[in-house]
Amino acid sequence: MEQIKLDISNVDNFISQATIGDYKNQVADANKALHEGTGTGNDFVGWVGLPSSITDEYLAEVEETAKKMQENIDVLVVVGIGGSYLGAKAVIDSLSGSFDNFDKRENPRVIYAGINLSEDYMAELREFLKDKSYGICVISKSGTTTEPAIAFRILKNDIEEKFGKKDAKNRIVAITDAEKGALKIVADNEGYKTFVIPDNVGGRYSVLTPVGLIPIAIAGFDIRKLIEGAKLMEQNTSADQEFENNIAGVYAATRNALYKRNYKTEILVNYNPKLQYVGEWWKQLFGESEGKENKGIFPASANFTSDLHSLGQYIQEGERTLFETIISVKGTKHKLTIPENKEDHDKLNYLAGKNIEFVNEKAMLGTLQAHIDGGVPNIIIEIPELSEFYVGQLIYFFEKACGIGGYLLEVNPFDQPGVEAYKKNMFKLLGKE
Ligand code: PA5
């Protein structure tokens, strides 16, 4: 089975392969600490062995719940924020057609609520749902996060009013803690179908738990293949894997070596708009894991070629503290060639008969060289195609690299103390006791 590839040859002008190789022992120690649960934040390393521990029975239960929802609804509203929605959206968007949500589709289309505090967004969402047969997947580990709690309070009233309390109950799935939190109490009282977020998996590492699996399965994607891909990556980045063959370890070492040379911002770049939310998910994963104690690479993302027409100037000639990691997808789902035109006013006939992806690839190679020449180191992650199997690999690859990277940086990659500061101020301003 093919594995996604990591190419670090384009950092050669900036750091030597020997410098990266010097991380060999540190990476091995960090990886071992993750697997043995002996490092900082070790009560949150449940994700490390997760793919290989998921049973057939468990997946069957997820699939059965998804099937019942699919039969009942046209639209799924995922209510959750941060780690409780970004992973699901990243996977669903990667695998969906670009215009699926605008048209009738076989499986429910997925939309999101509780991801902001915008009154307009919420009002417009309610208006949109008025004539739809919809269901809700409400996700909150703590069960007390303000944004999803407000959204769910409103949507729960609406769904009960529209379908009646009994039918509404069958249209709601709750994903939360096994014991604590307000959502757990509501779910138990109302008798919702409930899935548990394991105690030892933090929000941003939870996409392969029901947090991601339930919405992904309801959207109609193959969660078994997703887990299969993640499992392969779990095996190939295991504690006894050699450094050179452990792509998560090599990626973590390369980023860390660049950071030490003052490359303080990493831009995750894609050339396929389906990957935009992989960038959003990745920013949370790395930003919340590394950004503490006045340390950490700032995670940014860019969608090329669109952002070459906006951020391109800065990347080429701005402050030289950037490096890029490109996710390059080799295969396309569709084939489309550029047509011949008799007049050729636009002077594009030299491309007639060529696939659009051929042009995209040349844009990528041209940009890569320009950015390297401009002083921006580049890392490439190569994926054969956007399918469940490869997206599953990609998720686990980034999670493992992030865990190792956090330990290389000597921070706890599994807490997020800084997230509380704004909440404290907000609650004070709101007059919460
Ligand atoms: O990674 C995290 O811990 C956060 O992004 C949380 O996922 C987010 O705040 C949502 O929390 P909860 O699932 O408790 O509602």
Side-chain angles (χ1 to χ4, degrees), residues 55-57 59-60 63 221-229:
T55 61
D56 249 20
E57 292 72 39
L59 291 175
E63 285 165 343
F221 298 109
D222 189 338
I223 53 170
R224 287 175 192 264
K225 293 231 167 71
L226 188 81
I227 297 295
E228 211 182 293

Side-chain angles (χ1 to χ4, degrees), residues 385-401:
E385 62 183 19
L386 285 180
S387 66
E388 287 90 337
F389 180 66
Y390 291 113
V391 172
Q393 287 193 32
L394 189 68
I395 287 167
Y396 191 88
F397 161 76
F398 278 135
E399 288 181 349
K400 182 52 102 48

